Amino acid sequence: MQNLNLNKEQLDALREIGNIGGGNAATALSQFLDRRVSVTVPQATLLSLDDFSGYEFMMKPEELSIAVSLRILGKLKGGMLVLFSQRDALLMIDILMQRKMGSTEIFTTIDESALSESTHIICCSYLNAIGEFLKLYQLIPSITQTALDRVDKLSKVLIKRFVGGDIGYVLPIQNHLIVEDIEVNLYVIFLLEPESQIKILEMIGL
C-alpha cells in the first residue's frame, strides 16, 4: 500500500475539508443547542490502514474512549467514526443534558441517545462538505451505533466493520469544538471507498 508523505499544501487541502465540515457542524449544533458554538480543525491527514492502526489520537491507546459510528449510504460507500476520549464524551453529555460541567460520571441510555443524536448532526455536516469536494451528492448517513472501549481496540474493531478489500485509506480530522467557553475534542474519521479515495488523492495532487 502506498506510503503517503504529504506536503504542507496537500495537508492544507485536507484541512479545508475539515474547516468546511466543522463550520457546517458549528452552525447546525448552535441551532440544535441554542448556544454559541465554534469548531476549529488543527489537523487532518490521509493514512493507510496499516499506519492508522498505530495512529496516536489525542489520548493514550489504553485510555477508555467512546466511538459513534455509522455507514455512508448513497453514491459514496464507506463509513464514519466520531471518536471521543471518555472525558470529552462526558463533557459533551453535560452540555447536551444542560448539567453542571463535570457532573456526568457514568453513561445512561438517555445520555447515549443524546450523544448519538449530536454526533449524527456532526456527521451530516461533514458529509455535506465532503460531498461538495468530491461532487458526490445525496450522501445519506445511517443510524449511529455507540461503543465504549480502549481507543486502540475501538479503532481496530470499528474499522473492520466497514473496511472492504478495496478500502486502503482513512481520513482522520481533528476537531476542537467550543460551546461558549467549554472545549470538547474529538476526531471525525472517514473510511474511504475506492472512488472517494481516488478523488481525494487527485484533489491533493497525488
Side-chain angles (χ1 to χ4, degrees), residues 87 90-91 93-95 97-107 111:
R87 172 190 173 277
L90 292 173
L91 279 177
I93 289 169
D94 285 336
I95 293 169
M97 304 305 291
Q98 299 183 8
R99 298 171 183 158
K100 180 181 178 182
M101 291 300 100
S103 61
T104 301
E105 296 180 350
I106 59 173
F107 296 97
D111 294 339

Side-chain angles (χ1 to χ4, degrees), residues 12-132:
D12 285 345
L14 293 178
R15 282 186 65 242
E16 187 60 22
I17 295 176
N19 287 330
I20 294 174
N24 291 348
T27 300
L29 285 174
S30 180
Q31 294 171 349
F32 178 68
L33 298 170
D34 195 25
R35 301 175 72 175
R36 186 177 70 255
V37 178
S38 64
V39 177
T40 59
V41 177
Q43 181 181 355
T45 191
L46 198 60
L47 299 170
S48 72
L49 286 178
D50 295 335
D51 291 335
F52 182 78
S53 63
Y55 187 68
E56 291 202 10
F57 294 97
M58 62 284 194
M59 70 231 17
K60 296 179 180 178
E62 68 275 9
E63 185 176 345
L64 199 64
S65 59
I66 293 87
V68 181
S69 61
L70 58 78
R71 292 186 182 277
I72 303 171
L73 309 173
K75 293 185 177 180
L76 177 66
K77 305 297 183 184
M80 291 181 70
L81 309 177
V82 179
L83 187 64
F84 298 85
S85 69
Q86 183 182 19
R87 172 190 173 277
D88 288 299
L90 292 173
L91 279 177
M92 190 68 185
I93 289 169
D94 285 336
I95 293 169
L96 295 168
M97 304 305 291
Q98 299 183 8
R99 298 171 183 158
K100 180 181 178 182
M101 291 300 100
S103 61
T104 301
E105 296 180 350
I106 59 173
F107 296 97
T108 67
T109 302
I110 294 175
D111 294 339
E112 182 179 320
S113 176
L115 187 65
S116 293
E117 185 175 359
S118 64
T119 302
H120 198 267
I121 291 172
I122 293 172
C123 289
C124 288
S125 300
Y126 265 92
L127 279 179
N128 289 337
I130 204 166
E132 290 178 11

Side-chain angles (χ1 to χ4, degrees), residues 178-201:
I178 301 175
V179 182
E180 295 180 346
D181 59 347
I182 306 160
E183 182 172 334
V184 177
N185 296 302
L186 58 97
Y187 270 84
V188 175
I189 303 166
F190 284 92
L191 309 175
L192 302 175
E193 54 79 53
E195 184 178 357
S196 61
Q197 173 184 310
I198 292 169
K199 284 181 176 290
I200 285 183
L201 291 173

